[in-house]
Amino acid sequence: MGQPAAETSSFMTDFLLKSGGVAIIDGGLATELERYGADLNDPLWSAKCLLTSPHLIRAVHLDYLEAGADIIITASYQATIQGFEAKGFSSDESESLLRKSVEIAFAASIGSYGAYLADGSEYSGNYGHAITLENLKDFHRRRVQILAESGADLIAFETIPNKVEAQAYVELLEEEDIKIPAWLSFNSKDGVNVVSGDSLFDCASIAESCKNVVAVGINCTPPRFIHGLILSIKKVTTKPILIYPNSGESYDGKRKEWVQNTGISDKDFVSYVNKWCEIGAALVGGCCRTTPNTIRAIYRTLSSRSPALSS
């Protein structure tokens, strides 16, 4: 569903106006799929359900819509052609599964190269010296093409751990003449830089330089860091700022499990929301370990400050 450049640039502005000034992004997908009974112990993670139980993905998406979400992100975060082929699917079958994710949702998720590796490197951004800008573009190129042509309203490049992958994304958007808008969302573990140690200023500047990127922000990051990160991004960009933190829980990338009792409650999470919006956040939601209850609480909080959201 290609759009002329002028329409792409106004897409997010128009969307935010219709949403009452602040749009609500959905919350964590994997945790909710597991609550419905899905077994995600697999390199494909939540994308495994595209193969085995797409009805569960639809159920979770509906839960978030009912909770008040304006934007539903697809289950394609860890869905790669390479990952599906490793499961024995042909190239055509792999591409079909990617398209299937967009039949169910709205914003086409693209996770990092580290998410495909499923070794925790999406939380470090350390891919080794052998992985170059060109390697990353080659890895992501076909997936970007497919999702851009699949009917999604936008592409969500998520949990970007380093500067080189951000550069790969914006170059792909330009080289492939992608017509639909995109957002770039980084993650941080210190509240200052992205997880690789690369400067957030530099990363956000890359997003700012690309006309197809209609929003830039932070996801999968503890809520306590978000305030400072919004202020840092504001110094670089004129684009809308999006934030969808995790629950604040710690993830053990080697053991592939969340550390218990390290997060915050929905009440505490939502207590940050008005302040985030006051200092510049225009799209707010949740990432890992947040739930429809979190999004419902965000919706109620924002409804109380915006008549358009409560109408």
Side-chain angles (χ1 to χ4, degrees), residues 52-96:
T52 61
S53 43
H55 63 288
L56 296 185
I57 297 174
R58 290 189 181 93
V60 175
H61 289 336
L62 285 171
D63 288 345
Y64 280 117
L65 287 170
E66 290 170 358
D70 300 302
I71 298 173
I72 301 297
I73 300 175
T74 66
S76 55
Y77 175 80
Q78 212 145 312
T80 63
I81 293 170
Q82 296 90 337
F84 287 133
E85 288 178 343
K87 290 283 187 182
F89 291 92
S90 69
S91 177
D92 287 346
E93 288 169 334
S94 300
E95 293 182 8
S96 177

mmCIF file of all heavy atoms in Angstrom, residues 52-96:
data_model
loop_
_atom_site.group_PDB
_atom_site.id
_atom_site.type_symbol
_atom_site.label_atom_id
_atom_site.label_comp_id
_atom_site.label_asym_id
_atom_site.label_seq_id
_atom_site.Cartn_x
_atom_site.Cartn_y
_atom_site.Cartn_z
ATOM 1 N N THR A 52 1.989 -22.336 14.287
ATOM 2 C CA THR A 52 1.244 -23.323 15.061
ATOM 3 C C THR A 52 -0.126 -22.863 15.545
ATOM 4 O O THR A 52 -1.041 -23.681 15.664
ATOM 5 C CB THR A 52 2.054 -23.735 16.303
ATOM 6 O OG1 THR A 52 2.279 -22.561 17.126
ATOM 7 C CG2 THR A 52 3.400 -24.320 15.903
ATOM 8 N N SER A 53 -0.281 -21.570 15.837
ATOM 9 C CA SER A 53 -1.532 -21.123 16.459
ATOM 10 C C SER A 53 -1.805 -19.641 16.210
ATOM 11 O O SER A 53 -1.816 -18.837 17.145
ATOM 12 C CB SER A 53 -1.493 -21.404 17.969
ATOM 13 O OG SER A 53 -0.235 -21.066 18.512
ATOM 14 N N PRO A 54 -2.031 -19.270 14.944
ATOM 15 C CA PRO A 54 -2.317 -17.862 14.648
ATOM 16 C C PRO A 54 -3.554 -17.343 15.362
ATOM 17 O O PRO A 54 -3.678 -16.132 15.598
ATOM 18 C CB PRO A 54 -2.484 -17.848 13.125
ATOM 19 C CG PRO A 54 -2.746 -19.265 12.738
ATOM 20 C CD PRO A 54 -2.012 -20.096 13.721
ATOM 21 N N HIS A 55 -4.467 -18.241 15.733
ATOM 22 C CA HIS A 55 -5.665 -17.801 16.445
ATOM 23 C C HIS A 55 -5.307 -17.194 17.800
ATOM 24 O O HIS A 55 -6.005 -16.296 18.285
ATOM 25 C CB HIS A 55 -6.637 -18.976 16.634
ATOM 26 C CG HIS A 55 -6.106 -20.085 17.483
ATOM 27 N ND1 HIS A 55 -5.127 -20.950 17.047
ATOM 28 C CD2 HIS A 55 -6.403 -20.466 18.751
ATOM 29 C CE1 HIS A 55 -4.840 -21.821 18.011
ATOM 30 N NE2 HIS A 55 -5.606 -21.544 19.052
ATOM 31 N N LEU A 56 -4.206 -17.655 18.403
ATOM 32 C CA LEU A 56 -3.786 -17.066 19.679
ATOM 33 C C LEU A 56 -3.249 -15.651 19.478
ATOM 34 O O LEU A 56 -3.476 -14.767 20.316
ATOM 35 C CB LEU A 56 -2.720 -17.939 20.345
ATOM 36 C CG LEU A 56 -3.148 -19.346 20.770
ATOM 37 C CD1 LEU A 56 -2.004 -20.038 21.518
ATOM 38 C CD2 LEU A 56 -4.399 -19.297 21.640
ATOM 39 N N ILE A 57 -2.549 -15.436 18.370
ATOM 40 C CA ILE A 57 -2.062 -14.088 18.061
ATOM 41 C C ILE A 57 -3.246 -13.143 17.893
ATOM 42 O O ILE A 57 -3.265 -12.030 18.441
ATOM 43 C CB ILE A 57 -1.184 -14.094 16.800
ATOM 44 C CG1 ILE A 57 0.067 -14.942 17.023
ATOM 45 C CG2 ILE A 57 -0.789 -12.678 16.409
ATOM 46 C CD1 ILE A 57 0.922 -15.136 15.792
ATOM 47 N N ARG A 58 -4.259 -13.586 17.147
ATOM 48 C CA ARG A 58 -5.458 -12.756 16.978
ATOM 49 C C ARG A 58 -6.111 -12.455 18.318
ATOM 50 O O ARG A 58 -6.555 -11.327 18.570
ATOM 51 C CB ARG A 58 -6.460 -13.454 16.058
ATOM 52 C CG ARG A 58 -6.043 -13.529 14.607
ATOM 53 C CD ARG A 58 -7.183 -14.032 13.724
ATOM 54 N NE ARG A 58 -6.770 -14.128 12.342
ATOM 55 C CZ ARG A 58 -6.273 -15.231 11.785
ATOM 56 N NH1 ARG A 58 -6.115 -16.334 12.520
ATOM 57 N NH2 ARG A 58 -5.916 -15.240 10.513
ATOM 58 N N ALA A 59 -6.168 -13.443 19.189
ATOM 59 C CA ALA A 59 -6.792 -13.250 20.496
ATOM 60 C C ALA A 59 -6.062 -12.184 21.302
ATOM 61 O O ALA A 59 -6.698 -11.315 21.931
ATOM 62 C CB ALA A 59 -6.828 -14.572 21.259
ATOM 63 N N VAL A 60 -4.730 -12.229 21.288
ATOM 64 C CA VAL A 60 -3.962 -11.232 22.035
ATOM 65 C C VAL A 60 -4.139 -9.846 21.416
ATOM 66 O O VAL A 60 -4.323 -8.849 22.131
ATOM 67 C CB VAL A 60 -2.476 -11.621 22.098
ATOM 68 C CG1 VAL A 60 -1.655 -10.513 22.764
ATOM 69 C CG2 VAL A 60 -2.293 -12.926 22.859
ATOM 70 N N HIS A 61 -4.099 -9.764 20.089
ATOM 71 C CA HIS A 61 -4.330 -8.471 19.434
ATOM 72 C C HIS A 61 -5.688 -7.897 19.827
ATOM 73 O O HIS A 61 -5.813 -6.696 20.106
ATOM 74 C CB HIS A 61 -4.256 -8.624 17.911
ATOM 75 C CG HIS A 61 -2.872 -8.869 17.381
ATOM 76 N ND1 HIS A 61 -1.731 -8.504 18.032
ATOM 77 C CD2 HIS A 61 -2.461 -9.431 16.213
ATOM 78 C CE1 HIS A 61 -0.669 -8.832 17.304
ATOM 79 N NE2 HIS A 61 -1.090 -9.395 16.193
ATOM 80 N N LEU A 62 -6.706 -8.729 19.849
ATOM 81 C CA LEU A 62 -8.037 -8.261 20.233
ATOM 82 C C LEU A 62 -8.061 -7.788 21.682
ATOM 83 O O LEU A 62 -8.722 -6.789 22.006
ATOM 84 C CB LEU A 62 -9.070 -9.368 20.016
ATOM 85 C CG LEU A 62 -9.467 -9.624 18.569
ATOM 86 C CD1 LEU A 62 -10.333 -10.882 18.474
ATOM 87 C CD2 LEU A 62 -10.220 -8.419 17.988
ATOM 88 N N ASP A 63 -7.360 -8.494 22.556
ATOM 89 C CA ASP A 63 -7.283 -8.059 23.953
ATOM 90 C C ASP A 63 -6.723 -6.642 24.053
ATOM 91 O O ASP A 63 -7.215 -5.817 24.840
ATOM 92 C CB ASP A 63 -6.394 -9.014 24.761
ATOM 93 C CG ASP A 63 -7.047 -10.365 25.021
ATOM 94 O OD1 ASP A 63 -8.278 -10.478 24.835
ATOM 95 O OD2 ASP A 63 -6.319 -11.302 25.409
ATOM 96 N N TYR A 64 -5.704 -6.364 23.255
ATOM 97 C CA TYR A 64 -5.099 -5.031 23.305
ATOM 98 C C TYR A 64 -6.009 -3.968 22.677
ATOM 99 O O TYR A 64 -6.079 -2.831 23.168
ATOM 100 C CB TYR A 64 -3.722 -5.038 22.638
ATOM 101 C CG TYR A 64 -2.651 -5.584 23.548
ATOM 102 C CD1 TYR A 64 -1.945 -6.739 23.229
ATOM 103 C CD2 TYR A 64 -2.349 -4.951 24.748
ATOM 104 C CE1 TYR A 64 -0.971 -7.249 24.086
ATOM 105 C CE2 TYR A 64 -1.381 -5.449 25.605
ATOM 106 C CZ TYR A 64 -0.699 -6.596 25.276
ATOM 107 O OH TYR A 64 0.260 -7.097 26.134
ATOM 108 N N LEU A 65 -6.693 -4.315 21.610
ATOM 109 C CA LEU A 65 -7.650 -3.368 21.029
ATOM 110 C C LEU A 65 -8.749 -3.027 22.028
ATOM 111 O O LEU A 65 -9.136 -1.869 22.192
ATOM 112 C CB LEU A 65 -8.247 -3.939 19.746
ATOM 113 C CG LEU A 65 -7.310 -3.973 18.533
ATOM 114 C CD1 LEU A 65 -7.931 -4.789 17.404
ATOM 115 C CD2 LEU A 65 -7.001 -2.556 18.049
ATOM 116 N N GLU A 66 -9.243 -4.046 22.699
ATOM 117 C CA GLU A 66 -10.293 -3.825 23.696
ATOM 118 C C GLU A 66 -9.781 -3.011 24.883
ATOM 119 O O GLU A 66 -10.546 -2.291 25.532
ATOM 120 C CB GLU A 66 -10.850 -5.167 24.175
ATOM 121 C CG GLU A 66 -11.669 -5.885 23.111
ATOM 122 C CD GLU A 66 -12.014 -7.313 23.485
ATOM 123 O OE1 GLU A 66 -11.586 -7.764 24.568
ATOM 124 O OE2 GLU A 66 -12.702 -7.978 22.689
ATOM 125 N N ALA A 67 -8.486 -3.100 25.148
ATOM 126 C CA ALA A 67 -7.897 -2.343 26.253
ATOM 127 C C ALA A 67 -7.666 -0.881 25.894
ATOM 128 O O ALA A 67 -7.392 -0.064 26.781
ATOM 129 C CB ALA A 67 -6.578 -2.984 26.676
ATOM 130 N N GLY A 68 -7.763 -0.544 24.602
ATOM 131 C CA GLY A 68 -7.616 0.848 24.188
ATOM 132 C C GLY A 68 -6.459 1.150 23.279
ATOM 133 O O GLY A 68 -6.188 2.322 22.968
ATOM 134 N N ALA A 69 -5.732 0.133 22.815
ATOM 135 C CA ALA A 69 -4.590 0.375 21.934
ATOM 136 C C ALA A 69 -5.032 0.910 20.578
ATOM 137 O O ALA A 69 -6.031 0.458 20.018
ATOM 138 C CB ALA A 69 -3.783 -0.905 21.749
ATOM 139 N N ASP A 70 -4.283 1.878 20.067
ATOM 140 C CA ASP A 70 -4.502 2.416 18.720
ATOM 141 C C ASP A 70 -3.623 1.720 17.695
ATOM 142 O O ASP A 70 -3.940 1.723 16.500
ATOM 143 C CB ASP A 70 -4.158 3.920 18.684
ATOM 144 C CG ASP A 70 -4.994 4.731 19.640
ATOM 145 O OD1 ASP A 70 -6.228 4.689 19.526
ATOM 146 O OD2 ASP A 70 -4.404 5.408 20.513
ATOM 147 N N ILE A 71 -2.499 1.172 18.131
ATOM 148 C CA ILE A 71 -1.518 0.563 17.234
ATOM 149 C C ILE A 71 -1.237 -0.859 17.706
ATOM 150 O O ILE A 71 -0.877 -1.084 18.861
ATOM 151 C CB ILE A 71 -0.201 1.363 17.217
ATOM 152 C CG1 ILE A 71 -0.451 2.787 16.696
ATOM 153 C CG2 ILE A 71 0.850 0.661 16.359
ATOM 154 C CD1 ILE A 71 0.751 3.691 16.790
ATOM 155 N N ILE A 72 -1.409 -1.805 16.802
ATOM 156 C CA ILE A 72 -1.140 -3.211 17.084
ATOM 157 C C ILE A 72 0.075 -3.630 16.261
ATOM 158 O O ILE A 72 0.100 -3.483 15.042
ATOM 159 C CB ILE A 72 -2.356 -4.095 16.720
ATOM 160 C CG1 ILE A 72 -3.593 -3.654 17.501
ATOM 161 C CG2 ILE A 72 -2.026 -5.565 16.970
ATOM 162 C CD1 ILE A 72 -3.484 -3.803 19.006
ATOM 163 N N ILE A 73 1.097 -4.161 16.947
ATOM 164 C CA ILE A 73 2.348 -4.539 16.301
ATOM 165 C C ILE A 73 2.333 -6.032 15.977
ATOM 166 O O ILE A 73 1.900 -6.849 16.790
ATOM 167 C CB ILE A 73 3.548 -4.195 17.207
ATOM 168 C CG1 ILE A 73 3.570 -2.686 17.490
ATOM 169 C CG2 ILE A 73 4.861 -4.631 16.558
ATOM 170 C CD1 ILE A 73 4.647 -2.265 18.471
ATOM 171 N N THR A 74 2.777 -6.380 14.798
ATOM 172 C CA THR A 74 2.708 -7.763 14.323
ATOM 173 C C THR A 74 3.629 -8.692 15.105
ATOM 174 O O THR A 74 4.539 -8.265 15.812
ATOM 175 C CB THR A 74 3.107 -7.861 12.830
ATOM 176 O OG1 THR A 74 4.500 -7.516 12.708
ATOM 177 C CG2 THR A 74 2.269 -6.961 11.955
ATOM 178 N N ALA A 75 3.407 -9.985 14.903
ATOM 179 C CA ALA A 75 4.229 -11.026 15.536
ATOM 180 C C ALA A 75 5.460 -11.349 14.708
ATOM 181 O O ALA A 75 6.002 -12.454 14.801
ATOM 182 C CB ALA A 75 3.392 -12.285 15.744
ATOM 183 N N SER A 76 5.941 -10.404 13.913
ATOM 184 C CA SER A 76 7.062 -10.686 13.004
ATOM 185 C C SER A 76 8.406 -10.230 13.557
ATOM 186 O O SER A 76 9.417 -10.274 12.856
ATOM 187 C CB SER A 76 6.819 -10.003 11.648
ATOM 188 O OG SER A 76 6.586 -8.611 11.805
ATOM 189 N N TYR A 77 8.448 -9.795 14.820
ATOM 190 C CA TYR A 77 9.700 -9.294 15.413
ATOM 191 C C TYR A 77 10.848 -10.275 15.213
ATOM 192 O O TYR A 77 11.939 -9.904 14.788
ATOM 193 C CB TYR A 77 9.484 -9.024 16.905
ATOM 194 C CG TYR A 77 10.735 -8.620 17.644
ATOM 195 C CD1 TYR A 77 11.202 -7.313 17.570
ATOM 196 C CD2 TYR A 77 11.452 -9.543 18.398
ATOM 197 C CE1 TYR A 77 12.353 -6.932 18.242
ATOM 198 C CE2 TYR A 77 12.612 -9.169 19.072
ATOM 199 C CZ TYR A 77 13.050 -7.870 18.990
ATOM 200 O OH TYR A 77 14.198 -7.494 19.654
ATOM 201 N N GLN A 78 10.628 -11.529 15.517
ATOM 202 C CA GLN A 78 11.672 -12.542 15.392
ATOM 203 C C GLN A 78 11.414 -13.465 14.192
ATOM 204 O O GLN A 78 11.986 -14.542 14.088
ATOM 205 C CB GLN A 78 11.784 -13.355 16.689
ATOM 206 C CG GLN A 78 13.198 -13.837 16.989
ATOM 207 C CD GLN A 78 13.511 -13.860 18.477
ATOM 208 O OE1 GLN A 78 13.246 -12.902 19.173
ATOM 209 N NE2 GLN A 78 14.082 -14.946 18.944
ATOM 210 N N ALA A 79 10.546 -13.004 13.298
ATOM 211 C CA ALA A 79 10.229 -13.779 12.097
ATOM 212 C C ALA A 79 11.137 -13.332 10.957
ATOM 213 O O ALA A 79 11.017 -12.218 10.460
ATOM 214 C CB ALA A 79 8.763 -13.576 11.708
ATOM 215 N N THR A 80 12.047 -14.191 10.572
ATOM 216 C CA THR A 80 12.933 -13.897 9.452
ATOM 217 C C THR A 80 12.840 -15.029 8.442
ATOM 218 O O THR A 80 12.534 -16.179 8.792
ATOM 219 C CB THR A 80 14.396 -13.769 9.919
ATOM 220 O OG1 THR A 80 14.830 -15.030 10.449
ATOM 221 C CG2 THR A 80 14.548 -12.698 10.987
ATOM 222 N N ILE A 81 13.127 -14.698 7.200
ATOM 223 C CA ILE A 81 13.152 -15.738 6.172
ATOM 224 C C ILE A 81 14.197 -16.787 6.535
ATOM 225 O O ILE A 81 13.961 -17.998 6.426
ATOM 226 C CB ILE A 81 13.447 -15.100 4.800
ATOM 227 C CG1 ILE A 81 12.270 -14.202 4.386
ATOM 228 C CG2 ILE A 81 13.691 -16.177 3.742
ATOM 229 C CD1 ILE A 81 12.542 -13.349 3.175
ATOM 230 N N GLN A 82 15.343 -16.302 7.029
ATOM 231 C CA GLN A 82 16.412 -17.232 7.401
ATOM 232 C C GLN A 82 15.965 -18.154 8.530
ATOM 233 O O GLN A 82 16.292 -19.345 8.540
ATOM 234 C CB GLN A 82 17.651 -16.435 7.823
ATOM 235 C CG GLN A 82 18.256 -15.586 6.704
ATOM 236 C CD GLN A 82 17.672 -14.182 6.642
ATOM 237 O OE1 GLN A 82 16.558 -13.929 7.103
ATOM 238 N NE2 GLN A 82 18.436 -13.266 6.058
ATOM 239 N N GLY A 83 15.215 -17.601 9.488
ATOM 240 C CA GLY A 83 14.743 -18.405 10.612
ATOM 241 C C GLY A 83 13.731 -19.456 10.197
ATOM 242 O O GLY A 83 13.776 -20.604 10.666
ATOM 243 N N PHE A 84 12.815 -19.080 9.297
ATOM 244 C CA PHE A 84 11.829 -20.046 8.811
ATOM 245 C C PHE A 84 12.503 -21.130 7.968
ATOM 246 O O PHE A 84 12.154 -22.309 8.045
ATOM 247 C CB PHE A 84 10.743 -19.338 7.994
ATOM 248 C CG PHE A 84 9.773 -18.532 8.809
ATOM 249 C CD1 PHE A 84 9.444 -17.233 8.439
ATOM 250 C CD2 PHE A 84 9.174 -19.057 9.942
ATOM 251 C CE1 PHE A 84 8.557 -16.487 9.185
ATOM 252 C CE2 PHE A 84 8.270 -18.318 10.697
ATOM 253 C CZ PHE A 84 7.963 -17.031 10.322
ATOM 254 N N GLU A 85 13.470 -20.709 7.155
ATOM 255 C CA GLU A 85 14.173 -21.700 6.326
ATOM 256 C C GLU A 85 14.938 -22.699 7.191
ATOM 257 O O GLU A 85 15.042 -23.879 6.847
ATOM 258 C CB GLU A 85 15.111 -20.976 5.358
ATOM 259 C CG GLU A 85 14.368 -20.261 4.237
ATOM 260 C CD GLU A 85 15.281 -19.506 3.288
ATOM 261 O OE1 GLU A 85 16.455 -19.261 3.653
ATOM 262 O OE2 GLU A 85 14.825 -19.156 2.193
ATOM 263 N N ALA A 86 15.456 -22.221 8.334
ATOM 264 C CA ALA A 86 16.147 -23.130 9.251
ATOM 265 C C ALA A 86 15.200 -24.181 9.822
ATOM 266 O O ALA A 86 15.628 -25.246 10.264
ATOM 267 C CB ALA A 86 16.793 -22.335 10.385
ATOM 268 N N LYS A 87 13.887 -23.874 9.786
ATOM 269 C CA LYS A 87 12.867 -24.819 10.242
ATOM 270 C C LYS A 87 12.422 -25.776 9.130
ATOM 271 O O LYS A 87 11.545 -26.615 9.334
ATOM 272 C CB LYS A 87 11.634 -24.056 10.746
ATOM 273 C CG LYS A 87 11.850 -23.318 12.044
ATOM 274 C CD LYS A 87 11.825 -24.282 13.206
ATOM 275 C CE LYS A 87 11.867 -23.568 14.535
ATOM 276 N NZ LYS A 87 11.889 -24.525 15.651
ATOM 277 N N GLY A 88 12.991 -25.588 7.926
ATOM 278 C CA GLY A 88 12.665 -26.483 6.834
ATOM 279 C C GLY A 88 11.678 -25.934 5.830
ATOM 280 O O GLY A 88 11.301 -26.632 4.883
ATOM 281 N N PHE A 89 11.279 -24.677 5.992
ATOM 282 C CA PHE A 89 10.347 -24.082 5.043
ATOM 283 C C PHE A 89 11.096 -23.566 3.818
ATOM 284 O O PHE A 89 12.245 -23.131 3.914
ATOM 285 C CB PHE A 89 9.569 -22.936 5.693
ATOM 286 C CG PHE A 89 8.597 -23.389 6.749
ATOM 287 C CD1 PHE A 89 8.971 -23.466 8.075
ATOM 288 C CD2 PHE A 89 7.303 -23.753 6.406
ATOM 289 C CE1 PHE A 89 8.092 -23.893 9.055
ATOM 290 C CE2 PHE A 89 6.417 -24.184 7.371
ATOM 291 C CZ PHE A 89 6.802 -24.257 8.695
ATOM 292 N N SER A 90 10.425 -23.586 2.680
ATOM 293 C CA SER A 90 11.018 -23.042 1.465
ATOM 294 C C SER A 90 11.027 -21.519 1.548
ATOM 295 O O SER A 90 10.395 -20.921 2.418
ATOM 296 C CB SER A 90 10.208 -23.483 0.245
ATOM 297 O OG SER A 90 8.938 -22.831 0.252
ATOM 298 N N SER A 91 11.724 -20.894 0.604
ATOM 299 C CA SER A 91 11.763 -19.430 0.552
ATOM 300 C C SER A 91 10.358 -18.858 0.371
ATOM 301 O O SER A 91 9.967 -17.892 1.034
ATOM 302 C CB SER A 91 12.675 -18.983 -0.590
ATOM 303 O OG SER A 91 12.681 -17.589 -0.695
ATOM 304 N N ASP A 92 9.571 -19.464 -0.548
ATOM 305 C CA ASP A 92 8.208 -18.975 -0.789
ATOM 306 C C ASP A 92 7.332 -19.148 0.450
ATOM 307 O O ASP A 92 6.537 -18.255 0.790
ATOM 308 C CB ASP A 92 7.577 -19.727 -1.966
ATOM 309 C CG ASP A 92 8.154 -19.302 -3.306
ATOM 310 O OD1 ASP A 92 8.834 -18.246 -3.346
ATOM 311 O OD2 ASP A 92 7.936 -20.010 -4.300
ATOM 312 N N GLU A 93 7.465 -20.282 1.117
ATOM 313 C CA GLU A 93 6.676 -20.520 2.337
ATOM 314 C C GLU A 93 7.070 -19.526 3.433
ATOM 315 O O GLU A 93 6.202 -19.022 4.169
ATOM 316 C CB GLU A 93 6.891 -21.956 2.817
ATOM 317 C CG GLU A 93 6.231 -23.011 1.950
ATOM 318 C CD GLU A 93 6.678 -24.413 2.311
ATOM 319 O OE1 GLU A 93 7.792 -24.584 2.833
ATOM 320 O OE2 GLU A 93 5.901 -25.350 2.051
ATOM 321 N N SER A 94 8.347 -19.225 3.529
ATOM 322 C CA SER A 94 8.829 -18.278 4.539
ATOM 323 C C SER A 94 8.268 -16.885 4.284
ATOM 324 O O SER A 94 7.841 -16.189 5.212
ATOM 325 C CB SER A 94 10.363 -18.243 4.534
ATOM 326 O OG SER A 94 10.900 -19.518 4.821
ATOM 327 N N GLU A 95 8.263 -16.491 3.009
ATOM 328 C CA GLU A 95 7.714 -15.183 2.670
ATOM 329 C C GLU A 95 6.217 -15.125 2.954
ATOM 330 O O GLU A 95 5.695 -14.104 3.423
ATOM 331 C CB GLU A 95 8.006 -14.859 1.202
ATOM 332 C CG GLU A 95 9.485 -14.667 0.932
ATOM 333 C CD GLU A 95 9.789 -14.292 -0.516
ATOM 334 O OE1 GLU A 95 8.828 -14.040 -1.268
ATOM 335 O OE2 GLU A 95 10.975 -14.229 -0.867
ATOM 336 N N SER A 96 5.519 -16.198 2.709
ATOM 337 C CA SER A 96 4.085 -16.268 2.979
ATOM 338 C C SER A 96 3.801 -16.116 4.475
ATOM 339 O O SER A 96 2.831 -15.449 4.867
ATOM 340 C CB SER A 96 3.522 -17.596 2.471
ATOM 341 O OG SER A 96 2.145 -17.706 2.777
#
